[in-house]
Amino acid sequence: MDYSMDELMEAKRQIDSTLHKLRETIKTFEAKENASRYKSQITLAKRRVKAFEIASHLIEDEIERK
């Protein structure tokens, strides 16, 4: 599918914003006294971070090609 430069830039901005929020969420959960209690939430957030990092990288590649 072909996306405009504006669409790619906005998608990257949104992904980067979500990545920042997810990383902060992980820090918050890990800093809690009973961090082990939040293990599943931490794992899920880390998996989402990885997925969004991949998406961001792919968008960067597409932007560079344009």
Side-chain angles (χ1 to χ4, degrees):
M1 207 166 184
D2 196 29
Y3 298 101
S4 71
M5 184 62 79
D6 287 341
E7 289 172 319
L8 292 169
M9 296 296 288
E10 179 60 19
K12 175 131 177 41
R13 190 178 74 76
Q14 292 298 325
I15 287 172
D16 290 344
S17 174
T18 301
L19 270 170
H20 174 74
K21 291 173 187 174
L22 281 168
R23 289 180 178 129
E24 292 302 312
T25 298
I26 292 168
K27 287 180 192 175
T28 300
F29 280 136
E30 290 178 337
K32 291 192 179 275
E33 252 182 64
N34 298 329
S36 61
R37 185 175 168 198
Y38 301 97
K39 186 177 177 185
S40 62
Q41 288 94 333
I42 293 168
T43 300
L44 178 61
K46 286 181 178 181
R47 288 178 181 165
R48 286 180 175 165
V49 164
K50 186 64 178 172
F52 279 112
E53 285 173 342
I54 292 167
S56 181
H57 179 75
L58 292 171
I59 291 171
E60 285 174 13
D61 287 350
E62 185 65 22
I63 289 170
E64 287 176 12
R65 276 186 273 187
K66 286 198 174 246

